[in-house]
Structures are given as C-alpha cells and as structure tokens.
Amino acid sequence: RLTERTREYEVEFDININGNCVYSGTVQITAKSQEEANEMFTDSPSDYVDLEELVIDAIRYGNIDLDVELL
C-alpha cells in the first residue's frame, strides 16, 4: 500500500473586523496540496492560530483603533 505524500504548505490569512484588516499572518500546514492546506485552515482556523490572542495583540499594539461610545 502506497502512502500519500504530504509536505508543508504556507497558508496566508487576514483577520478582518468590520471590513478592516487588523492582522495578517501565515501558518505552515502539512497537507497533500496547497488547496487542501487552505481548506484545512478555512474549516478550522483555531487549530492553527489563537484568533482571540491575535486580536488582543492587535488591539494592544495599536493595530486597531477602538472608539467606545456610551449610550
């Protein structure tokens, strides 16, 4: 039985809030093809990055300009 070959593929991603890009990054995913790696990331991005931590860091380091309005 032949095993399917896999290799590391780089997947680029953006995190957008209200249409504004707050973080751009890349991850390495082991897959059979670039398309499969992209699909794996799209299906479950939290398996590869901590999205909450990335957004918190973007806020902390000034990539997001938040305006708070009291009602």
Side-chain angles (χ1 to χ4, degrees):
R1 179 176 165 176
L2 296 175
T3 58
E4 295 186 51
R5 292 185 182 199
T6 59
R7 70 178 190 100
E8 292 285 316
Y9 290 92
E10 187 172 275
V11 176
E12 297 179 6
F13 65 94
D14 294 332
I15 297 175
N16 297 294
I17 296 178
N18 294 332
N20 297 312
C21 181
V22 296
Y23 184 86
S24 293
T26 60
V27 293
Q28 298 292 324
I29 298 178
T30 302
K32 294 178 250 174
S33 67
Q34 181 70 53
E35 292 78 20
E36 181 182 59
N38 292 344
E39 186 176 312
M40 291 167 67
F41 184 82
T42 300
D43 288 347
S44 188
S46 62
D47 287 350
Y48 305 99
V49 294
D50 184 346
L51 297 174
E52 184 176 308
E53 187 63 31
L54 292 177
V55 171
I56 289 169
D57 284 348
I59 293 168
R60 182 178 296 133
Y61 298 113
N63 293 345
I64 298 176
D65 200 14
L66 292 178
D67 292 321
V68 177
E69 183 178 323
L70 298 176
L71 301 176

